[in-house]
Amino acid sequence: MPEGPEIRRAADKLKRALEGQRALSVRFAADRFPALQSSGKCLSGRVIEAVEPRGKAMLTRFAGGLTVYSHNQLYGEWAIYRGEAPPSHLQTRLAIRTPTHSAILYSASEIEVLRTADVNRHPYIAKLGVELLDPAVTEADVLAQVCAPRFARRNLAGLLLDQGFLAGVGNYLRSDILFAARLHPAARPADLTPAQRAALARVALRMTRQSYRTRGITNDPQLARRLKAQGLAFGAYRHWVFDRAGAPCHACGHPIVRVDFGSRGLYLCERCQPGPA
């Protein structure tokens, strides 16, 4: 599933192609979204005022007070073409055509048309926690969330996937944030020292923003460059621990292990991230 950095990069591309343009046509897949067919006709001809990522969702705001909410879920993918979109084996769910570009959302399963005034009341948007990729968010904001009593007794493995905690974090960020902060996934905020809580806040903010800037690299940038120069493939140098089961830890050489937390695989170094007492 795309995580916050991937959604924001997609939003950047959509902004450049769509913002300020008039939508010649807006089409929703009739078989998947029959109730949105009239909305497509209503949105066609309107100016696209803004594209905004929120957590793992995308908001495409049209003139006249309407916004398209979309969530890629596991398989959704945005593509932008100059002119008409070419044929594709992927399932088109939403197609926006302007005089210069076509923006196509493939394979997504969650799309709605909302009144712009109601966007912040949408169930997903309303529950979002601190947005790590919001430029206005500071380390102090993240630390306050880490220290909030309502999260104190939940294990970090589950908490980091809760969009009501830190919006935009998904499975690869979860594993690498915990590794870089030297925290075990079974630990809870209540179990952490002040220094550990500060490390979690600092790493979560820094790593998520680094992933956005570097197209998904969560490893130490200098180490990643050295490993790339040695001929390693992108997947081998991209992450600290994620998807590296059996490979040596970049920090200590101990084999990385994969464990299941909350029905999803999580990766860690048992030497660098010892379990709570």
Side-chain angles (χ1 to χ4, degrees):
M1 179 183 293
E3 302 185 22
E6 288 72 41
I7 296 299
R8 184 163 288 264
R9 286 199 299 274
D12 291 344
K13 294 178 181 179
L14 287 169
K15 282 173 178 283
R16 291 192 291 269
L18 300 182
E19 281 190 356
Q21 297 293 313
R22 187 173 300 279
L24 299 179
S25 65
V26 178
R27 294 185 293 105
F28 300 93
D31 57 335
R32 292 301 297 267
F33 305 103
L36 296 182
Q37 298 312 297
S38 60
S39 295
K41 295 177 182 177
C42 181
L43 293 171
S44 298
R46 300 191 187 208
V47 171
I48 302 158
E49 295 181 332
V51 178
E52 179 188 5
R54 296 289 294 276
K56 299 180 184 180
M58 194 85 77
L59 301 173
T60 306
R61 189 173 78 238
F62 288 76
L66 292 175
T67 293
V68 175
Y69 165 93
S70 59
H71 194 300
N72 285 23
Q73 298 294 346
L74 190 58
Y75 299 111
E77 176 184 347
W78 280 99
I80 300 168
Y81 305 98
R82 187 169 293 279
E84 294 284 350
S88 173
H89 68 281
L90 298 174
Q91 297 296 311
T92 298
R93 303 302 191 207
L94 166 62
I96 303 173
R97 181 79 168 90
T98 75
T100 58
H101 291 83
S102 295
I104 313 295
L105 177 55
Y106 295 110
S107 306
S109 58
E110 189 174 345
I111 304 174
E112 301 175 50
V113 177
L114 310 171
R115 291 177 61 245
T116 301
D118 295 334
V119 163
N120 288 335
R121 291 193 288 273
H122 184 277
Y124 177 83
I125 302 295
K127 76 170 187 178
L128 287 176
V130 171
E131 294 252 16
L132 295 173
L133 290 172
D134 182 341
V137 167
T138 67
E139 190 175 312
D141 296 325
V142 184
L143 181 58
Q145 191 80 331
V146 170
C147 296
R150 66 186 181 278
F151 301 123
R153 302 198 176 278
R154 295 177 55 188
N155 68 59
L156 295 174
L159 191 55
L160 283 169
L161 292 184
D162 182 350
Q163 297 302 289
F165 180 55
L166 300 178
V169 173
N171 214 28
Y172 81 77
L173 281 169
R174 172 178 71 157
S175 291
D176 277 15
I177 286 169
L178 289 172
F179 173 81
R182 298 299 192 265
L183 297 173
H184 192 274
R188 308 170 303 171
D191 303 324
L192 306 182
T193 66
Q196 288 174 317
R197 287 193 287 269
L200 176 59
R202 180 175 62 253
V203 169
L205 188 64
R206 174 184 56 78
M207 185 176 288
T208 304
R209 292 178 174 182
Q210 174 186 308
S211 180
Y212 165 66
R213 293 193 308 270
T214 61
R215 305 188 63 81
I217 295 174
T218 51
N219 200 351
D220 175 78
Q222 292 185 346
L223 175 59
R225 285 194 291 271
R226 290 200 301 273
L227 295 174
K228 181 180 180 180
Q230 293 170 16
L232 271 68
F234 180 68
Y237 67 76
R238 176 184 177 185
H239 299 300
W240 279 113
V241 294
F242 180 75
D243 203 24
R244 298 188 62 244
C249 172
H250 289 311
C252 74
H254 194 74
I256 301 301
V257 299
R258 182 188 188 277
V259 295
D260 287 330
F261 275 91
S263 76
R264 297 185 67 183
L266 186 151
Y267 300 80
L268 73 152
C269 173
E270 295 174 312
R271 182 179 291 169
C272 293
Q273 298 166 263

